[in-house]
Amino acid sequence: MAEPWVNSAERIGSDLYLELSGTGSRRAVLIRALRDAVRDGRLAPGTRLPPYRSLAADLGLARNTVADAYAELVAEGWLTARQGSGTRVAERAAPPKPVRTPKPAPARPAAPAYDLRQGRPDPASFPRTAWLAAARRAVNSAPGDAFGPGDPRGRVELRQALTDYLRRARGVRVAPERIVVCSGFAHALRLLYGGSHGAGGPVLRGPLAVESYGLGFHRGILEDAGVRTVPLELDEQGARIEELTAGQDVRDVRGVRGVRGVQDVRGVLLTPAHQFPTGGPLHPARRAAVVDWARTSGGLVLEDDYDGEFRYDREPVGALQGLDPERVVYLGSVSKSLSPAVRLGWMVLPEHLVDGVLAAKGEREAWAGVLDQLTLADLIASGQYDRHVRRMRQRYRRRRDRLVAALAEHAPHIAATGVAAGLHAVLRLPPGTEASATKAAAWQGVALDGLAAFRHPRARGRGADGLAAFRHPRARGRGADGLVVGYSTPSEHAYGAAIEALVRALPPGDSGGGADG
Amino acid sequence: MAEPWVNSAERIGSDLYLELSGTGSRRAVLIRALRDAVRDGRLAPGTRLPPYRSLAADLGLARNTVADAYAELVAEGWLTARQGSGTRVAERAAPPKPVRTPKPAPARPAAPAYDLRQGRPDPASFPRTAWLAAARRAVNSAPGDAFGPGDPRGRVELRQALTDYLRRARGVRVAPERIVVCSGFAHALRLLYGGSHGAGGPVLRGPLAVESYGLGFHRGILEDAGVRTVPLELDEQGARIEELTAGQDVRDVRGVRGVRGVQDVRGVLLTPAHQFPTGGPLHPARRAAVVDWARTSGGLVLEDDYDGEFRYDREPVGALQGLDPERVVYLGSVSKSLSPAVRLGWMVLPEHLVDGVLAAKGEREAWAGVLDQLTLADLIASGQYDRHVRRMRQRYRRRRDRLVAALAEHAPHIAATGVAAGLHAVLRLPPGTEASATKAAAWQGVALDGLAAFRHPRARGRGADGLAAFRHPRARGRGADGLVVGYSTPSEHAYGAAIEALVRALPPGDSGGGADG
């Protein structure tokens, strides 16, 4: 009957806060304090009280005083004492007075049966065992200073491991002194643009060109920081870099003028390895062109290498940063490769930005957990990170193949594009069918987003968005309709059913479309 | 001689990024790419290359193509091949071309022999074993969704554990719905005041009253966010709350007018349990007065409970928040109780602020590591956190006692104040001796700060700072001189020597001062 004390949070040795104030003998004050604690819920029914000697020592009272107070409260019915179980708050004691009942949390939509939203690695695949083994090695071997205030650059162990890894696997030109660790891509954007009102000001200033399709979450961070974003249209070769130099005079193939203001930008944020979400790599000529633009204009390229590790059919696309480490900021994180639960990312910075970013971070590490940093460093240096990435690459490739095969069989009129890499594909839809397709998917229990959810609000009109790769053959000026299908999130056993549900939601075919992979 | 491959980061299965471009046969392209990788340092001398079959599969090439390329590069001297050791980059290969040599990092002062700066828990006491055990339990038993995008409120496991702990140990009136997890106190300040330029605006606006002694780091965060801080003078009962209501008309005991602007503040940031750094608790009458002020004025109290767990001689001082959970924001973290390496803190919010703070955090957890959150939740719920705090309390109390005893013996003219709680004491010095004493301490290898380092730059003149408890008996209008001595940082074996060095740095005594504890 008696619970073993080792399983109780309120067991011997626990801290107990008591308000010992007011008039009367010490015993009376203590009794009142204990009663209050029971009444207002700080001591819940069933809670075991500390032994006399422990509480007496804590409060600077005689043991007898505490023993007398306990006995009195047992007599009054507030407490119970039983041999072997110690003194506990009686079950009949007043229930805790709650904090004023909070509003119910804003209703979160019920979890969908099948989660095909992009951007979430398979949560069931987190390498728990490897992570814990790395944590054990890292924490046990950490020098004492690891437990003091952290270096805002990040632990040197992690910066060294990242240097080796990014050079080898991504072609980044990097030294540990150029890396600043942060808690993820969003944090990096805030450090770069979310400047202070104080002396230093922000590290970078807008306006900033961004791809006309991308994460609204990121655009929101920039706009919250007062940075105007200017959409750069996409075509089959990726972002139209030439708009940066041509400015207002640029006209696309259909004679539509370029976006106002794009010639004023001081930087451009790109996803060169795998455009998010449309899925193609930036054409080599454009890679060179954007670096030329940065050199000529004094501008900067921000390279979001969010899923560069995951490529399936084509040669790896190295980091753009390798072309000019002084004009490109390289940004990465573990959010896709491991899990967004591990809040770690990194910036590889041109020399002239290092001091500014460190000033923005402040004197001490205020965000990125040091034990996680050491653990990740061990995971990379021991080769377990590579091993995990490789395993996940195989798993995601198989899922990608199953998606493509299911479409070929059941919906041959729907083309899956952007499938050579990454954790998602884009299904091109007949014009005007995107909204109804996402609605149909929801009916099938499938959560996913249409392309429209990623479109920059100031992108040019649907008829002029230049997204040639996404213009349906029959679109004739209506623009891109598509579904962004993340294939990494469902569990292995649910994936087949998720694809079946997705296929049921797709608009019916006709003779006008053709499949292409 | 041969290293076992399992110990090499570049072993079988590692990712290797190669730029396969340009003209020529596949073999020629691969040879050129490997040469480039060696030349520019991505493949360092000694690095083991992947086996033929692995690289061939990665690149979509025939095995023979890769084998031929390796053989050619061995012949050219770029690589070496040895039985049992695989193919490696030759030691004689060109050394890596470094990234443009970074400036040497700004010279960090050499670590002092004895670190008596305040605010750092003993790094040698971090409970590595208990933390790792908690991490193992937490990570192994975590549900799958723990590895997906995080809830910006923080994991429910942690908010529940904190609810139980803060009620019991600190008298906080709290429910899990009122807690928002963050990465520490500085992050909490940024979430509350560092508002966006966008639609929402900041959660709170200034000006904000702060204690006239405190952390400049925190004032800096506020000022960076555009929040004006107004110093509130201290006396022997803590912060002079009456200045909030009296505004410009307040005069202190010496007839000096109050600070301009203090009547305009919308909030007040306090350290009620243990004023930082002077060390006293806020007088009960003032605790009541500041809550009354908040209720009357619609203002808000920010309670920084930075070391509330560590009290030695006196009754625990409960959280001010318990007096009115709707007018007090309670802020805590593990930075003092565990380590600043674990970037976790919490805010207990009035109901009307919860939604605003969550909006400031954004849709997903972008900072606080989820695995650390689960680990801390386990540490608290299993009772190990209490056990660690109790052990550290005993250790710090012994250190405090040794400091006080050393002063009584060797420098009886120096009074140590603020010693009933916390991780530091303040040594009162004869007027005008603080600067020379900190310099003398540095000569003795002791790092510490004088009181002046914590003084608000707009606090009233030294003759009028109202810091009666810190006015030396002979000060006569000159104000407070003192040393802030953190006794938690040195290792156990270095502590005695640190105190001896400190004592040697103290100004010589005369008949004017008297010791008081």
Side-chain angles (χ1 to χ4, degrees):
Chain A
M1 304 291 279
E3 296 160 31
W5 64 267
V6 287
N7 288 331
S8 162
E10 288 84 10
R11 73 186 186 298
I12 298 166
S14 289
D15 268 3
L16 172 65
Y17 164 71
L18 292 172
E19 186 87 46
L20 295 183
S21 57
T23 55
S25 69
R26 290 174 169 218
R27 176 174 164 280
V29 167
L30 176 59
I31 288 173
R32 199 162 53 227
L34 286 166
R35 245 195 244 113
D36 286 351
V38 173
R39 194 156 32 204
D40 73 5
R42 276 175 286 134
L43 283 173
T47 302
R48 179 201 285 261
L49 271 72
Y52 309 150
R53 65 177 183 288
S54 174
L55 191 62
D58 268 11
L59 301 178
L61 299 173
R63 290 189 193 179
N64 275 351
T65 306
V66 179
D68 284 359
Y70 279 18
E72 170 68 26
L73 289 164
V74 170
E76 291 180 9
W78 294 93
L79 305 179
T80 58
R82 194 175 303 167
Q83 194 63 37
S85 174
T87 306
R88 291 177 179 272
V89 178
E91 292 296 338
R92 63 183 169 277
K97 181 176 72 180
V99 178
R100 193 193 304 169
T101 311
K103 277 187 304 193
R108 304 207 156 217
Y114 307 113
D115 191 347
L116 294 180
R117 286 172 293 185
Q118 55 68 39
R120 302 164 183 216
D122 177 8
S125 299
F126 184 81
R128 302 187 195 209
T129 306
W131 179 266
L132 287 168
R136 196 184 62 241
R137 288 188 299 263
V139 170
N140 279 332
S141 68
D145 74 310
F147 301 98
D151 182 343
R153 295 168 189 265
R155 285 297 296 186
V156 66
E157 294 91 337
L158 178 57
R159 290 183 289 121
Q160 185 59 57
L162 284 170
T163 295
D164 297 344
Y165 176 77
L166 294 173
R167 275 188 188 168
R168 172 167 54 76
R170 303 293 302 128
V172 177
R173 286 162 66 186
V174 54
E177 297 77 14
R178 296 294 185 85
I179 295 180
V180 174
V181 172
C182 55
S183 73
F185 183 82
H187 188 207
L189 275 191
R190 288 183 172 99
L191 288 172
L192 289 169
Y193 285 98
S196 69
H197 297 236
V203 179
L204 298 178
R205 293 173 193 277
L208 180 72
V210 299
E211 293 158 329
S212 61
Y213 285 77
L215 273 185
F217 172 55
H218 293 164
R219 291 191 297 260
I221 289 171
L222 290 162
E223 277 153 25
D224 280 354
V227 174
R228 189 164 56 92
T229 61
V230 182
L232 207 56
E233 302 302 320
L234 301 172
D235 63 21
E236 62 282 356
Q237 301 189 341
R240 289 170 57 86
I241 302 302
E242 57 267 39
E243 294 189 4
L244 291 173
T245 41
Q248 292 196 341
D249 293 332
V250 72
R251 284 164 189 273
D252 72 7
V253 286
R254 288 177 303 289
V256 177
R257 282 164 62 102
V259 180
R260 265 178 60 82
V262 78
Q263 75 278 21
D264 300 326
V265 301
R266 303 189 184 197
V268 53
L269 171 60
L270 297 174
T271 48
H274 188 226
Q275 203 283 326
F276 182 85
T278 63
L282 187 64
H283 190 278
R286 295 214 175 143
R287 289 164 63 97
V290 75
V291 170
D292 286 347
W293 165 81
R295 287 177 176 158
T296 310
S297 68
L300 210 66
V301 182
L302 272 62
E303 176 173 23
D304 177 5
D305 196 34
Y306 66 103
D307 67 358
E309 289 92 348
F310 296 106
R311 34 100 196 148
Y312 309 124
D313 308 317
R314 62 178 192 226
E315 291 170 11
V317 178
L320 180 63
Q321 190 265 6
L323 297 183
D324 192 342
E326 303 305 331
R327 302 252 52 102
V328 181
V329 175
Y330 175 88
L331 303 161
S333 81
V334 299
S335 292
K336 303 287 183 292
S337 59
L338 273 178
S339 162
V342 177
R343 300 305 317 153
L344 287 179
W346 44 85
M347 323 165 74
V348 179
L349 293 164
E351 183 177 4
H352 71 281
L353 292 182
V354 173
D355 290 347
V357 169
L358 288 174
K361 270 198 93 177
E363 237 174 281
R364 300 164 173 203
E365 176 62 66
W367 292 279
V370 172
L371 306 186
D372 279 353
Q373 292 184 46
L374 293 171
T375 302
L376 180 60
D378 181 282
L379 204 71
I380 294 172
S382 68
Q384 291 290 337
Y385 183 79
D386 279 276
R387 190 169 298 177
H388 175 69
V389 166
R390 183 167 286 248
R391 186 166 54 230
M392 296 315 295
R393 191 185 296 143
Q394 288 165 353
R395 179 168 304 179
Y396 295 149
R397 174 163 22 195
R398 282 196 303 271
R399 292 190 177 195
R400 189 272 317 254
D401 292 345
R402 287 174 69 183
L403 172 64
V404 170
L407 289 173
E409 182 174 359
H410 302 294
H413 57 294
I414 306 284
T417 59
V419 295
L423 280 59
H424 69 273
V426 176
L427 309 194
R428 288 165 48 179
L429 296 181
T433 63
E434 180 181 306
S436 58
T438 55
K439 201 175 292 182
W443 272 101
Q444 298 288 344
V446 176
L448 48 57
D449 289 302
L451 264 183
F454 301 94
R455 188 179 169 84
H456 194 293
R458 290 186 296 278
R460 275 175 277 168
R462 291 175 65 87
D465 65 6
L467 194 60
F470 284 82
R471 263 192 344 224
H472 193 277
R474 290 174 60 234
R476 278 197 295 274
R478 295 197 51 177
D481 281 71
L483 295 178
V484 180
V485 178
Y487 43 77
S488 55
T489 306
S491 64
E492 284 289 282
H493 71 269
Y495 185 62
I499 290 186
E500 284 170 25
L502 169 67
V503 166
R504 284 195 297 273
L506 293 175
D510 60 32
S511 58
D516 62 293
Chain B
M1 305 290 279
E3 296 160 33
W5 64 267
V6 287
N7 288 331
S8 162
E10 289 82 11
R11 74 189 184 297
I12 299 165
S14 289
D15 268 3
L16 172 66
Y17 164 71
L18 292 173
E19 187 86 47
L20 295 183
S21 57
T23 54
S25 69
R26 289 173 171 220
R27 176 175 163 282
V29 167
L30 176 60
I31 288 172
R32 196 162 53 228
L34 284 166
R35 244 195 246 112
D36 286 351
V38 172
R39 195 158 26 207
D40 75 3
R42 277 176 284 136
L43 282 173
T47 302
R48 178 200 285 263
L49 271 73
Y52 309 152
R53 65 175 183 289
S54 174
L55 192 63
D58 269 11
L59 300 178
L61 299 174
R63 289 188 194 180
N64 275 349
T65 307
V66 179
D68 285 357
Y70 279 17
E72 169 69 26
L73 289 165
V74 169
E76 291 179 10
W78 295 91
L79 305 179
T80 57
R82 194 175 303 167
Q83 193 63 35
S85 175
T87 305
R88 291 177 181 272
V89 179
E91 293 295 339
R92 63 184 171 277
K97 182 177 70 179
V99 177
R100 193 192 304 170
T101 311
K103 276 187 305 194
R108 304 208 157 217
Y114 307 112
D115 192 348
L116 294 179
R117 285 171 293 185
Q118 55 70 38
R120 302 162 184 218
D122 177 9
S125 299
F126 184 81
R128 302 187 194 208
T129 306
W131 179 266
L132 287 168
R136 196 184 61 241
R137 287 189 299 265
V139 170
N140 279 332
S141 68
D145 74 311
F147 300 98
D151 182 342
R153 296 167 189 266
R155 285 296 296 186
V156 66
E157 295 90 336
L158 178 57
R159 290 184 289 121
Q160 186 60 58
L162 285 170
T163 295
D164 297 345
Y165 176 77
L166 294 173
R167 276 188 188 167
R168 171 167 55 74
R170 304 293 303 129
V172 176
R173 286 162 67 187
V174 52
E177 297 77 11
R178 294 293 185 87
I179 295 179
V180 174
V181 171
C182 54
S183 73
F185 183 82
H187 188 207
L189 276 191
R190 288 185 172 98
L191 288 172
L192 289 168
Y193 285 97
S196 69
H197 298 234
V203 180
L204 298 177
R205 292 171 193 276
L208 179 72
V210 299
E211 293 158 330
S212 61
Y213 286 77
L215 274 184
F217 171 56
H218 293 163
R219 292 191 296 261
I221 290 171
L222 291 162
E223 277 153 27
D224 279 354
V227 174
R228 189 163 55 90
T229 61
V230 182
L232 208 56
E233 301 303 319
L234 301 172
D235 64 19
E236 61 283 357
Q237 301 190 341
R240 289 169 57 85
I241 303 301
E242 57 267 40
E243 294 188 4
L244 291 174
T245 41
Q248 292 198 340
D249 293 333
V250 72
R251 285 166 189 273
D252 72 9
V253 287
R254 289 177 302 286
V256 178
R257 285 165 60 105
V259 180
R260 267 178 61 82
V262 79
Q263 76 278 18
D264 299 326
V265 300
R266 303 188 185 198
V268 53
L269 171 60
L270 298 174
T271 49
H274 188 226
Q275 203 283 324
F276 182 86
T278 63
L282 187 65
H283 190 278
R286 295 217 174 139
R287 289 164 63 97
V290 75
V291 170
D292 286 347
W293 165 82
R295 286 175 176 158
T296 310
S297 68
L300 209 67
V301 182
L302 272 62
E303 176 173 23
D304 177 6
D305 196 32
Y306 66 103
D307 67 359
E309 289 93 348
F310 295 106
R311 35 94 196 152
Y312 309 124
D313 309 317
R314 62 177 193 228
E315 294 169 7
V317 178
L320 180 64
Q321 189 264 7
L323 297 182
D324 192 341
E326 303 305 331
R327 301 250 53 100
V328 180
V329 174
Y330 175 88
L331 303 162
S333 80
V334 298
S335 292
K336 303 288 184 290
S337 60
L338 273 178
S339 163
V342 178
R343 301 306 316 152
L344 287 178
W346 44 86
M347 325 166 74
V348 179
L349 293 163
E351 184 178 3
H352 71 282
L353 293 182
V354 173
D355 290 347
V357 169
L358 288 175
K361 271 198 92 177
E363 235 174 283
R364 299 164 173 202
E365 178 57 73
W367 292 279
V370 172
L371 306 186
D372 279 354
Q373 292 184 47
L374 293 170
T375 302
L376 179 60
D378 181 281
L379 204 71
I380 294 173
S382 67
Q384 292 290 340
Y385 183 78
D386 279 275
R387 189 169 298 177
H388 175 70
V389 165
R390 181 167 287 248
R391 187 167 52 229
M392 295 315 295
R393 192 186 295 141
Q394 288 164 353
R395 179 168 303 180
Y396 294 149
R397 173 162 26 193
R398 281 197 303 271
R399 293 190 176 195
R400 189 271 319 254
D401 292 345
R402 288 174 68 184
L403 172 64
V404 169
L407 289 173
E409 183 174 358
H410 302 294
H413 58 294
I414 306 285
T417 58
V419 295
L423 280 58
H424 69 274
V426 176
L427 308 194
R428 287 166 47 181
L429 296 182
T433 63
E434 180 180 306
S436 57
T438 54
K439 202 174 291 181
W443 271 101
Q444 297 288 344
V446 176
L448 47 58
D449 289 303
L451 265 183
F454 301 95
R455 188 181 171 83
H456 194 293
R458 290 187 297 278
R460 276 176 276 167
R462 290 175 66 87
D465 66 5
L467 194 60
F470 283 82
R471 263 195 344 232
H472 193 277
R474 291 173 59 232
R476 278 195 297 273
R478 295 198 49 176
D481 281 73
L483 295 178
V484 180
V485 178
Y487 43 76
S488 55
T489 306
S491 63
E492 284 290 280
H493 71 268
Y495 186 61
I499 291 186
E500 285 169 26
L502 170 66
V503 167
R504 284 195 296 274
L506 294 175
D510 60 29
S511 58
D516 60 294

